[in-house]
Amino acid sequence: MRQEPLEGPWLDDDAGRLIRPYTVSNGRTKPTSQFDLLTLVMATGDRPNNYLGPDHSHVLKLCGGPVSVAEIAAQIAQPAVVTKVLLSDLVDCGAITSRAPGRAPLGNDPTDRDLLEAVLDGLRRRL
């Protein structure tokens, strides 16, 4: 017996998302811009000249303030590589800008125990 989708016509209870991830990126697996998971992206306020698609529009709406690539991937429930392709399309048309994460200077010990304990504490509070 077929059940009604949970959210919209593209989600099915049994099958999950009916549109496969690489369909979203038109089968592309290589973004034209360099991103890592901590890269921050933000909308420029410029709109793309051409309509890119619903997934691009959804991602663009999430870029209202500085947001990481990892957070966007989680919010749109897509693999990081698909998210990077969508973001690179938006960079190419001038709709978003990106900024690589800053690197903290490393002292004698690159594993700061206080920092690691603070991260662990934060994760425990969220779980």
Side-chain angles (χ1 to χ4, degrees), residues 17 37 58 62 67-80 83:
R17 187 177 170 129
L37 293 177
H58 184 207
L62 296 172
V67 61
S68 71
V69 171
E71 188 173 343
I72 291 173
Q75 289 196 26
I76 66 170
Q78 291 292 341
T83 304

Side-chain angles (χ1 to χ4, degrees), residues 5-122:
L6 293 174
E7 295 178 18
W10 306 116
L11 187 65
D12 182 89
D13 288 340
D14 296 329
R17 187 177 170 129
L18 298 177
I19 297 176
R20 297 296 172 222
Y22 295 100
T23 303
V24 172
S25 63
N26 293 326
R28 295 173 294 148
T29 59
K30 296 200 185 291
T32 57
S33 300
Q34 293 294 319
F35 299 103
D36 67 20
L37 293 177
L38 298 178
T39 299
L40 296 177
V41 295
M42 185 170 162
T44 62
D46 294 341
R47 290 304 211 201
N49 290 335
N50 298 326
Y51 180 70
L52 296 174
D55 292 293
H56 289 90
S57 296
H58 184 207
V59 168
L60 186 56
K61 287 178 187 173
L62 296 172
C63 296
V67 61
S68 71
V69 171
E71 188 173 343
I72 291 173
Q75 289 196 26
I76 66 170
Q78 291 292 341
V81 69
V82 172
T83 304
K84 290 176 184 181
V85 169
L86 294 174
L87 289 169
S88 67
D89 292 344
L90 292 169
V91 167
D92 291 346
C93 70
I96 66 170
T97 59
S98 66
R99 184 178 56 136
R103 299 283 182 211
L106 298 177
N108 293 336
D109 183 13
T111 56
D112 180 1
R113 184 176 177 90
D114 292 334
L115 175 63
L116 293 174
E117 286 179 0
V119 169
L120 181 59
D121 182 50

Side-chain angles (χ1 to χ4, degrees), residues 71 119-127:
E71 188 173 343
V119 169
L120 181 59
D121 182 50
L123 289 171
R124 283 183 179 148
R125 279 185 277 160
R126 289 190 62 109
L127 299 174

